[in-house]
Each structure stands twice: as structure tokens, then as C-alpha cells.
Amino acid sequence: MALKVFTTESIGAQRNHIAIYIETDPSEDKGWLHHVTGTILNGMDYTPRQTPNPELLPEHVPGSKKQIGTIEEEDLERFREECCLAVLPPRAQVTLKGTRLYPDTPLYRCTEWLKDVEETAQLMVPHTPYLT
């Protein structure tokens, strides 16, 4: 069965947080959120979790949930392992004083991680990408 895949945003302190939401149970309006959590001060971790539809959560940014494709149910674990876990989460990039640890490298946050996961998903299996 093909499952719908979305990007979604939630309100953040200094900037909004972006994640991938896969609707695994449309009848219950639930699914899985694939995202990284943390900061560019301490680094981030990939922390998937089950969740209600993000639109039902108070931190959801209205109008931000956008369908980006579909994925077959049997490909969910491979998507997690070969895409989400394969793309390294953002590392620590600044000090407490705000000095950049890697000044020649652009900052890499959840948005960039998500784009890399999307790209990996579309390139992983030639002619049969995870996200279609």
C-alpha cells in the first residue's frame, strides 16, 4: 500500500523546525515523524517517533504540511535505514560564544538534513525511488 509522505513545520524558538511525516494510519490520522532534534551548539540526533497528524499539534505551522510523494509500506524500514540513518545528523557547529567551529562550511541544520534525506530517497534505487 502506498503511504503519503509530507514535509511539515513546527514553530521553533529562533527558526521553524522541519520534518518528514509519513501517514501510516490514515483512519486514525497517525504516522511517523522523521527528523533531527538538538542544536547547532550541541549537535543533533535522528529521532523518529510516532505522532498524530502534525496539523493536530499546537506547534504546527498552519499551511506548512505539503505532500512530497508516496512510499510503499514495505519500504518504510529501508527508508529509515538507508536514507534517514545514512545521512549524518548535523554536528555541533558553534561555541557558546557563537563562534563558528567550521567557518568555511555553511551551517547545516534540520532543513538541510531533510533535503539530503529527500535526495537520498529519490536516488537510492534507480528507476524505483522510495519517494515517488
Side-chain angles (χ1 to χ4, degrees):
M1 175 171 103
L3 305 172
K4 293 179 182 178
V5 181
F6 303 88
T7 57
T8 184
E9 288 184 44
S10 57
I11 296 171
Q14 293 185 358
R15 62 181 50 233
N16 289 346
H17 178 67
I18 189 164
I20 293 174
Y21 172 70
I22 300 177
E23 183 183 67
T24 55
D25 190 350
S27 64
E28 295 289 324
D29 215 7
K30 293 192 284 192
W32 277 86
L33 199 66
H34 295 272
H35 63 145
V36 290
T37 57
T39 65
I40 58 171
L41 175 65
N42 297 317
M44 300 183 189
D45 294 307
Y46 169 58
T47 54
R49 64 177 169 91
Q50 287 188 304
T51 184
N53 181 338
E55 292 174 310
L56 302 175
L57 302 174
E59 65 271 16
H60 176 72
V61 175
S64 69
K65 183 179 163 194
K66 303 205 180 339
Q67 186 170 351
I68 59 170
T70 60
I71 187 170
E72 291 299 319
E73 191 169 4
E74 59 266 15
D75 286 330
L76 285 175
E77 186 59 26
R78 288 183 61 207
F79 169 75
R80 188 182 79 75
E81 290 177 6
E82 297 178 17
C83 301
C84 297
L85 288 170
V87 175
L88 294 176
R91 60 186 173 177
Q93 299 166 67
V94 296
T95 67
L96 279 173
K97 293 180 182 179
T99 305
R100 303 254 316 252
L101 295 172
Y102 312 99
D104 295 335
T105 304
L107 291 177
Y108 188 77
R109 296 181 169 106
C110 61
T111 302
E112 291 78 21
W113 179 86
L114 182 132
K115 287 177 184 175
D116 287 347
V117 168
E118 277 186 76
E119 187 176 296
T120 301
Q122 293 171 353
L123 298 174
M124 282 302 291
V125 184
H127 310 295
T128 55
Y130 292 137
L131 301 180
T132 57

